[in-house]
Amino acid sequence: MPPMIKIQDVKKHFDNDGVITQVLHGVSFEIHQGEFVAIMGPSGSGKSTLMHILGFLDKLSDGKYFFEGQDVSQLDDDLLASMRSRKVGFVFQAFNLLPRTTVLDNVMLPLMYVKLTSAERIKRAKEAIESVGLGHRINNLSNQLSGGEKQRVAIARALVNNPSVIFADEPTGNLDSKSGLQVMRILQDLNQKQGRTIILVTHEKYTAEHAERIIKIKDGLLESDEKVGNRQVADGVGELRK
């Protein structure tokens, strides 16, 4: 089976009024279906730019990007948006939930442009919400939730379209340690029990060690790509409903 993601010598630069800033200098690796991979690097290393390219939020400047065997290196904006909506789920540090909107409506948002009946949308959203242990919060407004609960809603929203891959960008950055562990536990369960492909972007070593493989980016280059020897297991943090 070909890798889900394959990038070859990917480079990215930004042009600001003729001033060229090179961010990625030629990065290559493969990610296979069902892997849980952390991309690590300090601020300014290029890891977020790389995630934006992998998640179809931005275009590469040079190199090749294959997704599920398809060369997506030169897709136009409309095709990138289509790939993004069908193939990718995102979980961001800032949650990005609609305020004063119910958990159910937040999770249903990605289904607005999918040809489903209202009943089917509700069913799929409820299943996603239950999968992150928030069935009892389904009618609560997002501003009535704790930070950890908000991030679990964001994970449910990322799941609702049944994406090929979930990108989690600093998902524990705004959380206390207990809530952060609960979020990492959910991501691990999605990977281990459902076979979800997860790409975690973080600068925190402890968070990265919940993955099974760590790719380190430094100064726009691949510094290392290693399996996690003593993988952290996010257990013992209490029931998700607490």
Side-chain angles (χ1 to χ4, degrees), residues 9 18 29 59 84 131 190 193 213 225:
D9 199 28
F29 57 74
K59 297 179 181 179
R84 189 166 61 242
S131 75
L190 291 172
K193 296 179 180 178
R213 174 183 167 201
D225 183 350

Side-chain angles (χ1 to χ4, degrees), residues 9 19 25-26 45 73 80 88 118 141 149 164 191 221 226 236:
D9 199 28
V19 178
H25 298 273
S45 63
S73 308
L80 283 177
V88 176
S118 176
L141 303 181
E149 288 172 333
S164 297
N191 172 248
L221 293 166
E226 299 175 342

Side-chain angles (χ1 to χ4, degrees), residues 56-198:
F56 309 110
L57 291 167
D58 201 357
K59 297 179 181 179
L60 52 79
S61 301
D62 196 12
K64 289 287 187 181
Y65 177 16
F66 297 90
F67 186 88
E68 296 182 336
Q70 177 186 356
D71 186 352
V72 296
S73 308
Q74 303 301 324
L75 293 184
D76 62 25
D77 290 342
D78 289 341
L79 289 174
L80 283 177
S82 176
M83 292 288 287
R84 189 166 61 242
S85 65
R86 293 184 296 109
K87 297 292 186 178
V88 176
F90 290 101
V91 180
F92 293 104
Q93 178 177 345
F95 319 131
N96 292 356
L97 302 180
L98 293 179
R100 296 179 297 281
T101 304
T102 66
V103 168
L104 179 63
D105 286 338
N106 266 288
V107 174
M108 282 199 299
L109 269 178
L111 300 176
M112 288 179 60
Y113 305 105
V114 180
K115 293 182 180 178
L116 295 172
T117 66
S118 176
E120 288 171 329
R121 289 190 180 96
I122 291 171
K123 180 176 182 292
R124 284 175 58 168
K126 284 183 175 179
E127 288 173 350
I129 293 165
E130 289 287 351
S131 75
V132 298
L134 283 179
H136 62 302
R137 296 288 201 192
I138 197 166
N139 293 314
N140 282 87
L141 303 181
S142 62
N143 56 314
Q144 296 174 325
L145 305 178
S146 68
E149 288 172 333
K150 289 177 180 178
Q151 195 60 291
R152 284 150 60 190
V153 174
I155 293 172
R157 183 184 56 194
L159 287 171
V160 76
N161 259 345
N162 193 30
S164 297
V165 58
I166 294 173
F167 288 92
D169 187 9
E170 302 280 7
T172 63
N174 284 341
L175 305 178
D176 60 42
S177 58
K178 180 180 178 180
S179 297
L181 279 171
Q182 288 179 332
V183 166
M184 294 312 301
R185 181 185 183 187
I186 290 171
L187 292 175
Q188 282 188 327
D189 281 350
L190 291 172
N191 172 248
Q192 295 172 354
K193 296 179 180 178
Q194 297 186 21
R196 299 277 183 178
T197 306
I198 297 175

Side-chain angles (χ1 to χ4, degrees), residues 12 40 42 63 75 203:
K12 178 65 179 180
M40 272 194 81
L75 293 184
H203 68 279

